[in-house]
Amino acid sequence: SSGAASSVPSSSMAHACRTIVSESGWRGLYKGLGPNLVRATLVNIGGLSAYDSAKQHLRLRAWNEGARTHTMAAVMSGLVSTVLSCPANVL
């Protein structure tokens, strides 16, 4: 495919889907699914495990259960998720 029609903005979601199917077939609708699933998996596994680990670590350091502990665990989880998703984002 030349890609010339792809540079024209679609008037609706239905039009975009019809254009993709006509140019690339049904498989064209799923282009990019693999890398997106890898990224989502890395973000979710990394984020959940980092949150649990960070919270457990903070609790061992005598941090009481509360907003401060949850916030710090969430910040650490976000950092881990960001680091894990960066390679998948540039694929």
Side-chain angles (χ1 to χ4, degrees):
S1 66
S2 66
S6 299
S7 63
V8 177
S10 298
S11 58
S12 69
M13 183 70 163
H15 178 258
C17 288
R18 282 193 303 270
T19 303
I20 291 169
V21 170
S22 70
E23 289 180 4
S24 304
W26 285 98
R27 294 186 83 170
L29 293 172
Y30 297 97
K31 185 177 181 182
L33 180 64
N36 200 12
L37 289 175
V38 169
R39 180 193 171 280
T41 302
L42 290 171
V43 168
N44 286 308
I45 289 173
L48 291 172
S49 61
Y51 180 85
D52 287 339
S53 296
K55 188 174 168 195
Q56 199 172 50
H57 179 75
L58 292 170
R59 295 294 310 259
L60 290 173
R61 301 230 177 241
W63 283 41
N64 294 329
E65 186 77 25
R68 183 177 79 145
T69 303
H70 290 284
T71 302
M72 187 56 75
V75 167
M76 291 177 186
S77 171
L79 178 64
V80 169
S81 293
T82 300
V83 168
L84 289 175
S85 69
C86 280
N89 287 338
V90 296
L91 290 178

